[in-house]
């Protein structure tokens, strides 16, 4: 289902000399490799600029920031590429399911074009929903789902698009404690399963601990 | 690349017609119009202008109308917001008044005329029981020499408009918290608002207020229906001169248009003077700490003003509706003696063509305006920053320069290039006025759109075009249709552009209706005014129903 | 409407004049005319202030299309002078063919102006139209002389007009009706605010001024000649003295005027005016049939006579659709069209035809018309006063504007 890079040194996410500054003041400066299945946690107080790194990797950094440095995803340099060409999936704090599509519609939207034929696509969507424990919910209106369900659909959606890296922008902070643990576990296990490098932005130490990877601190 | 077209087209559409139009008006005013043999500059047209009987009276009347209309409308809105803002009553009144925004000025003028005329609905209501009037009193109400009816006709339309822009500006000043703060200092509701909140609100609505002044000083359709006739306000006389087949009148008309520009400019300058005086006055009162708590009379007065202005139009529209199906209906009967649907049957054939043209022009001009507005906003997103205040003033250009002044020159341009009275020219002329409204009403919904949806979609591998059509457009469907409905109603209500550019070959419901005003045939006027009312309402109905229908399965897409 | 006429005038100047179409259709060869007319579009410039008349013209358009393949487009005017001015402008720009005006509803000073400036299709064509044989030239002298100006076949007659007054019997008794303009003034003084006239230069309003002048002038023969400027003030003194006396007791004290006849009609219905007037004797019946006036309205005239004239159709020299215009003019003069026009339920305008010249079937059409109780029979209309020379009208209008109104 997901391509695996044979050359391990090229696989994963490589952040090469990325420096982000605001009005001359440097916020982030980092060089780091994130192996497939591993999580790099970026931590720091609110407003410190943790999300800027994530935004730079994703390709949607606000122009008020000045940034330089290269980013490689699965061996390909994406620094100059448009966001839609980078194959980098993103999960935000809010599930942000498209309100004008059903659950199945959201997933169908995410499926790559390469999956051809209605039958095949429907099957993939069903499989993806099963994978997050929400089998059979294709026809539902996203507005009728619980918070936890929405997060899982959002996860299924981003995975369905076969990304080569995952960006998580405090995706668990709006969930209550129990749900948070569950969802966290689900996300990380899926990422490991798919061999995706993950960039996690959070201010919650428990998240960092569960991630189990390297931690970068910003603004402290 | 395509998106760069957006701002270019917008700026072009907003400035070029006004600039060319003004040139086409100002040059002949000084004698220069080669097509008619005017080769030299001179002041002869102005000499002819000032020799016209009572011309200064006309100009003065226009000036006063503009200032009084703006002053009364603004004061009413200010006091109402001050006294009742934040209450449930306020929300109810707001919903009552909002539909009036889409009503064309001409229709509301007709409605008022049918209400206040000596043989109108009010007189019929109270006669002969209360007044002993067996026949209508010989009072010059409609077309009164001071222009009071005309001002009333304008005020009832400008109050909803100013209320809307005030409400749009309100959230920025955090009204609930500020009110609580000011009240805790012991100020009455009205004085607290006027002294503490209004100064922050007013700068945001300044441009719309100027637009109201500009419109009121140069309005033609409301003046034709309600305004004085001996002499008529300046703009009305200008339009008559402009359309006189005697071509030498063209120079006179141009000189008059320059005078009109002067009148509008003077009105705005005087208003700015009032602003300064008002600010000084306010400072003195605020510094003196006068609490002015006993304001219940004023509060109820403000409410009454709102109710009366809205009620007057609704009552008048009802009267129009009754007249459209009336058989014989004599004074002082409150209802027609007989109802007659033949009126509609007889008028329908002559209604069809103007109706078709109205719909076509409104549809196309709105579509183009919305597309241009969208392109502008998409470009803004790309560039990453919103345009500055200068751009905002640019948007208001067609609304601040008196229509009569630049449309005149534009008409000349179209004639000389042979596109006069073509559909394309008419759509273009409407577009110039629809675009500002389209842009301004789309601004907030567009900027309120959560960018993260875009980012997610991009992360899913979707390019900009796909993101736009699959995510942004459907999610903005409701506000976009509302914007389209607004643009549509603006186009339906336009009078002067259609009159001058359509040149009688292309007529809309509004121009036909105003042309019928002098005939006093209330049945036919009732029918046309009814159509004027129905068309924008239909637009809003579509804008509400269509998204509800398309997205009925998705709860978050409902309002 | 003025907008259209003005801009086409300017367009005429802005563009090179097209090759002049100077082929004159010859009405004596009617078949050729019919053939030329097929497929043409005739722009008929006619006053558009009355819904009845507009509907009638619409009907005529439908018939012309169906029977002759001619498309009639009604260009609604507020004032016939606009159409005249357009042709003037086109001639000045050298546009001797492909004019924008094909047919004009006209009479009086407008006709005089066009004839004088050579703007009409010449030589005379009206008397060569097939339906001319039915026209009542013997009993209706105004058909050959329009406001003292000889017609010479340059315009075809369309309808008759006589100034007739209307009142509501529910409010005024027959005995109290004024019998001449002095009586009218006295009545107005006793009933202030109940009389008015449309603001000149409206045709009906100006005609009222002419009626007063015709009655009060010392030497009526002066009216048959062009205005003598030197003697104008002296000669029109009685008129303006009358108006000075009338003004304060008029509706709205003369500070506002109804703009045209339909507005006056509405004021009568609203009980704001008690006496109104029009040029169509069947106007009251027509209005009653349409539910615009109550059925208690009746007509009256002055025993001393009121103005009478004929109104016509003319074709500009540079019309684009000359053949079509001839066919239209002829059709509008036909017994069928004239009978329909005379029916108060449609319009009520009297015919220019002589009933005894018609065949059985056409006669029957006229006999079947119910003129309505509110219409005076032809023999009850009273004497006809001749219309003055057109120059009087313009001069009086100018003087009126100077004194009383600042209209445009």
């Amino acid at each position: 289902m997901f391509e695996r890079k044979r050359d391990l040194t090229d696989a994963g996410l490589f952040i090469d000399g990325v420096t982000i500054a605001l009005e001359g003041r440097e916020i982030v400066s980092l060089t780091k490799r994130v192996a497939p299945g591993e999580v790099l946690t970026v931590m720091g107080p609110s407003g410190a600029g943790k999300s800027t790194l994530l935004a730079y990797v994703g390709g949607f950094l606000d122009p008020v920031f000045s940034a330089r440095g290269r980013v490689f995803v699965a061996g390909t340099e994406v620094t100059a590429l448009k966001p839609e060409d980078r194959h980098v999936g993103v999960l935000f704090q809010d599930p942000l399911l498209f309100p004008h599509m059903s659950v199945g519609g959201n997933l169908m939207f995410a499926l790559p074009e390469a999956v051809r034929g209605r039958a095949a696509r429907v099957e993939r969507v069903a499989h993806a929903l099963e994978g997050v424990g929400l089998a059979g919910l294709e026809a539902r209106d996203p507005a009728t789902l619980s918070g936890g369900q929405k997060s899982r659909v959002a996860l299924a959606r981003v995975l369905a698009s076969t990304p080569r890296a995952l960006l998580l922008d405090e995706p668990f902070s709006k969930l209550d404690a129990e749900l948070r643990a569950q969802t966290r576990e689900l996300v990380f296990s899926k990422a490991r399963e798919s061999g995706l490098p993950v960039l996690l932005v959070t201010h919650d130490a428990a998240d960092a601990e569960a991630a189990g990877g390297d931690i970068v601190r910003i603004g402290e | 690349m395509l998106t760069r077209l957006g701002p270019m087209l917008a700026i072009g559409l907003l400035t070029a017609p006004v600039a060319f139009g003004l040139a086409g008006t100002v040059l002949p005013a000084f004698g220069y119009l080669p097509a008619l043999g005017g080769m030299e500059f001179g002041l002869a047209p102005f000499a002819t202008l000032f020799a016209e009987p009572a011309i200064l009276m006309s100009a003065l009347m226009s000036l006063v109308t503009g200032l009084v209309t703006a002053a009364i409308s603004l004061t009413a809105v200010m006091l109402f917001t001050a006294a009742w803002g934040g209450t449930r009553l306020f929300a109810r009144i707001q919903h009552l008044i909002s539909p009036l925004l889409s009503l064309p000025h001409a229709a509301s003028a007709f409605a008022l005329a049918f209400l206040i005329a000596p043989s109108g609905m009010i007189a019929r209501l109270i006669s002969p029981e209360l007044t002993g009037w067996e026949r209508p009193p010989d009072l010059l109400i409609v077309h009164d020499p001071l222009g009071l009816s005309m001002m009333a006709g304008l005020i009832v339309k400008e109050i909803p408009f100013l209320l809307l822009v005030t409400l749009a500006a309100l959230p920025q000043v955090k009204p609930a918290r500020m009110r609580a703060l000011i009240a805790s200092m012991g100020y009455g509701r009205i004085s607290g608002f006027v002294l503490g909140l209004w100064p922050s609100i007013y700068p945001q609505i300044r441009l719309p207020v100027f637009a109201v002044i500009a419109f009121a000083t140069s309005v033609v359709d409301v003046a034709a229906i309600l305004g004085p006739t001996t002499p008529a306000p300046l703009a009305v006389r200008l339009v008559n001169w402009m359309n006189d087949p005697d071509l030498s009148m063209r120079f006179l008309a141009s000189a008059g248009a320059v005078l009109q520009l002067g009148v509008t400019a003077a009105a705005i300058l005087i208003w700015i003077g009032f602003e300064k005086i008002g600010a000084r006055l306010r400072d003195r009162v605020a510094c003196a700490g006068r609490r002015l708590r006993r304001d219940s009379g004023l509060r109820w007065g403000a409410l009454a003003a709102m109710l009366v202005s809205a009620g007057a139009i609704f009552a008048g529209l009802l009267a129009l509706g009754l007249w459209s199906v009336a058989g014989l209906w004599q004074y002082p009967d409150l209802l027609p003696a007989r109802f007659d649907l033949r009126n509609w049957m007889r008028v329908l054939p002559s209604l069809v063509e103007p109706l078709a043209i109205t719909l076509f022009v409104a549809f196309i001009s709105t579509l183009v305006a919305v597309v241009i507005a969208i392109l502008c906003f998409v470009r803004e997103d790309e560039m990453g920053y919103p345009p500055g205040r200068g751009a905002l003033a640019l948007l208001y250009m067609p609304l601040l320069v008196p229509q009569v002044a630049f449309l005149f020159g534009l008409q000349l341009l179209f004639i000389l290039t042979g596109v006069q009275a073509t559909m394309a020219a008419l759509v273009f002329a409407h577009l110039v006025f629809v675009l500002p409204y389209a842009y301004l009403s789309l601004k907030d919904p567009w900027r309120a759109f959560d960018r993260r949806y875009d980012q997610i979609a991009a992360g899913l591998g979707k390019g900009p075009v796909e993101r736009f059509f699959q995510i942004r457009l459907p999610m903005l469907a409701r506000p976009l249709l509302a914007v389209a409905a607004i643009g549509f109603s603006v186009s339906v209500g336009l009078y002067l552009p259609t009159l001058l550019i359509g040149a009688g070959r292309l007529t809309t419901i509004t121009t036909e209706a105003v042309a019928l005003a002098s005939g006093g045939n209330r049945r036919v006027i009732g029918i046309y005014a009814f159509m004027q009312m129905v068309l924008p309402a239909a637009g809003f109905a579509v804008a509400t129903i269509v998204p509800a229908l398309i997205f009925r399965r998705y709860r978050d897409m409902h309002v | 409407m003025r907008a259209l006429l003005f801009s086409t005038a300017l367009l005429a100047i802005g563009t090179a004049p097209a090759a002049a179409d100077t082929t004159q259709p010859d009405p004596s060869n009617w078949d050729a005319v019919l053939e030329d007319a097929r497929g043409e579009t005739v722009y008929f410039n006619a006053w558009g202030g009355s819904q009845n008349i507009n509907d009638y013209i619409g009907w005529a358009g439908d018939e012309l299309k169906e029977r002759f393949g001619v498309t009639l487009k009604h260009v609604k005017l507020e004032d016939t002078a606009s159409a005249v001015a357009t042709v003037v402008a086109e001639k000045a720009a050298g546009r001797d063919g492909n004019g924008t005006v094909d047919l004009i509803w006209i009479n009086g000073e407008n006709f005089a102006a066009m004839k004088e400036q050579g703007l009409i299709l010449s030589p005379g064509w009206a008397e060569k139209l097939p339906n001319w044989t039915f026209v009542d030239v013997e009993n209706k002298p105004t058909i050959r002389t329009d406001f003292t100006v000889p017609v010479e076949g340059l315009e075809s007659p369309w309808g008759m007009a006589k100034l007739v007054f209307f009142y509501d019997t529910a409010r005024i008794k027959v005995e109290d009706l004024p019998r001449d303009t002095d009586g009218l003034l006295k009545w107005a003084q006793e009933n202030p605010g109940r009389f008015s006239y449309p603001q000149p230069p409206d045709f009906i309003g100006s005609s009222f001024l002419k009626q007063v002048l015709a009655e009060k002038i010392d030497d009526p023969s002066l009216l048959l000649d062009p205005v003598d400027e030197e003697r104008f003030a002296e000669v029109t003194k009685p008129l303006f003295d009358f108006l000075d006396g009338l003004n304060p007791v008029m509706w709205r004290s003369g500070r506002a005027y109804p703009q045209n006849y339909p507005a006056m009609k509405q004021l009568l219905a609203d009980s704001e005016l008690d006496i109104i007037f029009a040029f169509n004797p069947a106007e009251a019946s027509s209005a009653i049939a349409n539910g615009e006036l109550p059925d208690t309205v009746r007509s009256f005239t002055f025993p001393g006579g009121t103005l009478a004239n004929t109104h016509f159709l003319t074709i500009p020299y540079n019309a684009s659709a000359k053949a079509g215009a001839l066919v239209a003019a002829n059709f509008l003069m036909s017994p069928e069209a004239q009978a329909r026009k005379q029916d108060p339920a449609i319009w009520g305008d009297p015919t220019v035809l002589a009933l005894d010249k018609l065949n059985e079937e056409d006669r029957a059409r006229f006999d079947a018309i119910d003129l309505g109780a509110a219409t005076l029979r032809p023999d009850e209309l009273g004497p006809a006063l001749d219309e003055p020379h057109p120059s009087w009208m313009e001069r009086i209008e100018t003087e009126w504007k100077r004194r009383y109104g600042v209209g445009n």
Side-chain angles (χ1 to χ4, degrees), chain B residues 35 118-119 124 135-136 138-140 230 240 242-245 247 250 328 330-331 346 503 505 519-520 522-523, chain C residues 2-4 6 13 52 55 85 171 193-194 252 255-256 260 262-263 266 270-272 274 290-291 293-294 408:
Chain B
S119 58
R124 290 173 194 237
R135 330 164 122 198
D138 187 18
L139 297 171
L140 190 56
T230 53
N240 276 330
M242 277 177 201
N243 288 331
D244 199 312
L247 300 172
R250 190 91 200 178
L328 186 63
Q330 284 190 282
Y331 183 92
R346 291 176 64 202
R505 289 247 160 143
R522 299 224 181 99
R523 290 164 191 82
Chain C
R2 304 175 80 187
L4 164 65
F6 155 69
I13 290 199
N52 295 3
D55 289 343
R171 296 202 294 272
R194 300 288 159 207
R252 303 289 184 267
R255 286 176 300 151
N260 47 40
Q266 183 68 56
D270 287 336
S271 313
E272 293 207 41
D274 281 342
N290 283 321
L293 287 177
N408 282 301

Side-chain angles (χ1 to χ4, degrees), chain B residues 103-163:
Chain B
L103 190 66
H105 278 91
S108 66
F110 281 128
L112 205 67
F114 280 27
L115 201 63
I116 63 178
S119 58
M121 294 305 285
I122 293 184
R124 290 173 194 237
L125 211 63
I126 59 180
S127 304
E129 296 83 21
L130 293 176
T131 55
W133 286 333
E134 286 295 328
R135 330 164 122 198
D138 187 18
L139 297 171
L140 190 56
I141 299 182
V142 173
H143 299 301
D144 69 288
L146 289 177
L148 296 174
S149 304
M150 178 172 65
M151 290 187 217
L154 286 167
I155 289 173
V156 293
K157 266 291 288 180
E158 301 310 328
I159 283 183
F161 175 69
L162 289 176
L163 187 64

Side-chain angles (χ1 to χ4, degrees), chain B residues 35-36 53-54 118-119 124 134-141 143 145 229-232 236-237 240-247 250 323 327-331 338 340 342-343 346-347 350 353 411-412 415-416 418 420 499-500 503-505 512 516 518-524, chain C residues 1-11 13-14 43 48-49 51-52 55 73 76 78 81-83 85-86 89 100 168 171 192-194 199 250-253 255-257 259-260 262-264 266 268-272 274 289-295 404-408:
Chain B
L36 285 180
S119 58
R124 290 173 194 237
E134 286 295 328
R135 330 164 122 198
D138 187 18
L139 297 171
L140 190 56
I141 299 182
H143 299 301
T229 50
T230 53
V236 174
R237 297 177 73 175
N240 276 330
W241 291 335
M242 277 177 201
N243 288 331
D244 199 312
D246 178 359
L247 300 172
R250 190 91 200 178
W323 271 104
L328 186 63
W329 190 4
Q330 284 190 282
Y331 183 92
R338 290 191 285 282
D340 193 353
R342 266 187 317 161
N343 297 332
R346 291 176 64 202
V347 173
S350 48
E353 198 178 317
Q411 180 196 40
L412 184 61
I415 291 174
L416 293 176
Q420 173 76 332
L499 186 72
L500 292 180
R505 289 247 160 143
E512 290 284 301
L516 291 169
S518 66
N521 185 339
R522 299 224 181 99
R523 290 164 191 82
V524 178
Chain C
M1 236 342 92
R2 304 175 80 187
L4 164 65
L5 297 164
F6 155 69
S7 63
T8 48
L10 196 51
L11 185 59
I13 290 199
Y43 283 94
Q51 194 60 30
N52 295 3
D55 289 343
K73 281 216 185 283
K76 301 191 180 81
E78 267 177 54
S82 320
T86 302
T100 56
D168 190 347
R171 296 202 294 272
R194 300 288 159 207
Q199 184 163 354
M250 266 175 70
W251 181 76
R252 303 289 184 267
S253 314
R255 286 176 300 151
Y257 297 84
Q259 293 301 300
N260 47 40
M264 269 207 308
Q266 183 68 56
L268 182 67
D270 287 336
S271 313
E272 293 207 41
D274 281 342
N290 283 321
E292 290 166 334
L293 287 177
D295 55 13
Y404 304 114
V406 197
N408 282 301

Side-chain angles (χ1 to χ4, degrees), chain C residues 319-335:
Chain C
S320 316
K322 295 191 183 76
L326 284 170
V327 169
N330 187 55
F331 173 72
L332 289 169
M333 214 164 58
S334 68

Side-chain angles (χ1 to χ4, degrees), chain A residues 5-211:
Chain A
K5 281 280 180 209
R6 267 169 227 114
D7 186 346
L8 284 175
T9 49
D10 272 351
L13 178 64
F14 179 35
I15 297 171
D16 185 11
V18 168
T19 313
I20 303 177
L22 176 64
E23 287 163 8
R25 191 175 56 87
E26 198 180 275
I27 304 175
V28 173
S29 183
L30 186 66
T31 298
K32 198 89 172 127
R33 229 177 252 283
V34 186
E38 278 187 14
V39 180
L40 173 66
T41 309
V42 178
M43 293 192 68
S46 323
K50 351 185 247 299
S51 296
T52 57
L53 179 61
L54 194 139
Y56 187 68
V57 174
F60 42 85
L61 185 65
D62 194 317
V64 309
F65 296 96
S66 54
R68 55 175 204 281
R70 299 185 298 172
V71 178
F72 292 81
V73 174
T76 318
E77 180 178 352
V78 302
T79 329
L81 292 181
K82 294 199 221 137
E84 54 267 17
D85 296 329
R86 296 188 185 201
H87 296 281
V88 176
V90 68
L91 272 182
F92 288 107
Q93 243 180 44
D94 304 296
L96 293 177
L97 298 181
F98 300 124
H100 59 292
M101 300 178 188
S102 63
V103 167
N106 269 271
L107 291 180
M108 201 78 81
F109 183 72
L111 277 182
E113 264 182 59
V115 181
R116 290 197 177 288
R118 198 166 162 77
R121 292 177 75 88
V122 166
E123 206 258 311
R124 290 266 197 140
V125 166
H127 191 93
L129 282 175
E130 260 176 55
V132 295
L134 291 176
L137 290 190
E138 283 91 334
R140 288 281 290 273
D141 172 10
T144 61
L145 300 177
S146 72
Q149 287 175 320
K150 284 188 197 172
S151 299
R152 283 190 274 163
V153 173
L155 175 64
R157 179 176 63 179
V158 76
L159 292 175
S161 68
T162 62
R164 296 185 192 147
L166 261 191
L167 305 178
L168 307 178
D169 192 347
E170 309 203 41
F172 316 119
S173 54
K174 281 206 174 155
L175 303 170
D176 65 61
E178 190 187 314
L179 213 46
R180 178 178 296 158
Q182 273 179 21
T183 314
R184 208 163 47 203
E185 188 44 47
L186 186 61
V187 172
F188 293 147
S189 67
K190 283 288 172 192
R192 258 193 305 271
E193 205 181 289
S194 318
L196 295 174
V198 177
L199 189 60
L200 168 67
V201 165
T202 183
H203 60 264
D204 184 353
D207 288 345
E209 214 174 313

